[in-house]
Amino acid sequence: MLCTMKELLEQAARRNAAVGAFSTYTMEAVKGIVQAAEQTQTPAILQIAESRFPYAPFELMAPMMVNAAKKASVPVAVHLDHGQHLETVQRALELGFTSVMIDGSRLPLEDNIRLTLKAKELAAARGATLEAEIGRVGGDEGMGQVRDSCTRPEEALAFWRQTGVDALAVAIGNAHGNYRFAPELQFDILEKIRNTVGCPLVLHGGTGISFADFRRTIELGVRKINIATALLDAQRKAARDCLKEGGSPSYFEVSERMTQAVAQTVARHIGVFNNREPLSAIE
Ligand code: 13P
């Protein structure tokens, strides 16, 4: 059933858990994510980033995502990840997305606030949830630079007070893509932000973060965790393994293996994000 992201974030907060936001660029990913959510009886978020539209056209992907969410036996929100333009936010809302992110994190604070407030008007007109970002996610170059690019707690507070967003993505040493070095998340910064900012926090760059660190971020107020690269890697590996095994598998057999690889990867992450079982039962 299709729901807003706000509902899922509130539910996650009540359970001291995080909801997984899984990126979808293929039909196999959409099917695998929904399958894992249903099997684990856990709500999930299907999301797509604007930067990927050249590969996964929005007008083709969006109806598949929205319909998959409507058909699911568990609540599923459909979210625009890293929206760069207000026009894209509006397109997402018209295509039935229940949640949008406007990413003004590259802009000076005041400009980010102005852009976010415009996106808020668009989202509010449709009853959709709004996520924004403050600080720059990225940088696995070393501790010094990591701390420099982290969200400043006082800026996060000013941003949240002036925009009243539903969810705020923060930079605490996390980065998109595969990490070259194990990430060193700055939990002290996360804690300072959590202690003042009144909305749920979002952790981007989930691929490669240890399960123990996920749990620590959840304890410190993270309610949404984004996973993209791990799903792309799982699909690539599943296709390669299937073809390597020989026997000339059909396209449909390869596709099914990719779907199952996504489902397994998502289910493992859901087990961590639900914050119920000890990690020893998952790893
Ligand atoms: P990863 O590709 O590192 O999992 O990051 C996903 C993400 O944050 C999408 O916004």
Side-chain angles (χ1 to χ4, degrees):
M1 61 206 83
L2 182 64
C3 69
T4 64
M5 192 166 88
K6 195 166 186 220
E7 292 167 70
L8 301 188
L9 296 174
E10 285 168 359
Q11 204 182 88
R14 285 195 295 275
R15 293 189 288 117
N16 191 26
V19 54
F22 301 102
S23 299
T24 57
Y25 303 109
T26 63
M27 179 183 71
E28 286 79 9
V30 174
K31 285 165 64 182
I33 295 161
V34 172
Q35 184 180 313
E38 288 181 334
Q39 272 168 1
T40 57
Q41 282 297 295
T42 304
I45 298 165
L46 291 174
Q47 66 180 12
I48 183 168
E50 184 174 347
S51 63
R52 302 290 192 196
F53 290 175
Y55 308 94
F58 199 25
E59 268 69 22
L60 301 185
M61 290 299 298
M64 179 164 60
M65 294 165 71
V66 170
N67 283 315
K70 283 183 180 163
K71 271 185 61 193
S73 62
V74 291
V76 175
V78 183
H79 174 73
L80 172 69
D81 189 28
H82 292 287
Q84 297 160 3
H85 306 94
L86 292 169
E87 296 72 27
T88 312
V89 166
Q90 184 58 24
R91 259 167 86 202
L93 295 166
E94 282 166 9
L95 286 163
F97 276 37
T98 55
S99 179
V100 286
M101 175 184 188
I102 186 75
D103 183 357
S105 60
R106 284 168 193 277
L107 302 171
L109 181 66
E110 288 308 318
D111 294 349
N112 190 359
I113 290 172
R114 259 194 296 279
L115 180 69
T116 301
L117 284 172
K118 286 186 188 149
K120 190 179 175 181
E121 251 177 60
L122 300 178
R126 302 261 178 172
T129 309
L130 179 66
E131 175 182 337
E133 179 170 318
I134 176 114
R136 294 287 303 281
V137 171
D140 51 1
E141 299 89 355
M143 277 285 282
Q145 281 159 342
V146 166
R147 279 193 85 86
D148 288 348
S149 66
C150 280
T151 304
R152 291 176 208 279
E154 63 283 3
E155 285 195 2
L157 178 60
F159 184 86
W160 174 69
R161 277 199 175 134
Q162 290 182 62
T163 60
V165 288
D166 301 305
L168 187 60
V170 292
I172 53 163
N174 44 325
H176 294 109
N178 284 311
Y179 292 91
R180 277 184 291 140
F181 307 101
E184 292 181 52
L185 298 187
Q186 309 294 298
F187 295 103
D188 58 326
I189 294 179
L190 180 60
E191 189 169 10
K192 278 189 191 136
I193 298 169
R194 189 275 312 263
N195 286 344
T196 56
V197 170
C199 71
L201 303 178
V202 181
L203 183 70
H204 282 242
T207 300
I209 291 179
S210 72
F211 287 178
D213 279 358
F214 280 140
R215 286 274 170 100
R216 268 185 89 181
T217 66
I218 292 169
E219 294 302 328
L220 292 171
V222 165
R223 298 293 166 230
K224 171 179 182 263
I225 302 179
N226 286 8
I227 303 290
T229 305
L231 304 186
L232 295 172
D233 289 351
Q235 289 172 86
R236 206 162 43 113
K237 181 174 182 309
R240 200 179 48 212
D241 290 352
C242 187
L243 292 168
K244 256 207 215 147
E245 283 163 19
S248 194
S250 71
Y251 167 78
F252 299 107
E253 285 167 307
V254 177
S255 166
E256 183 54 23
R257 287 276 288 270
M258 290 164 71
T259 301
Q260 293 316 316
V262 169
Q264 278 169 17
T265 308
V266 169
R268 280 181 81 220
H269 283 91
I270 283 177
V272 178
F273 301 164
N274 274 344
N275 202 12
R276 280 187 219 132
E277 289 176 302
L279 287 181
S280 53
I282 296 164
E283 280 168 322

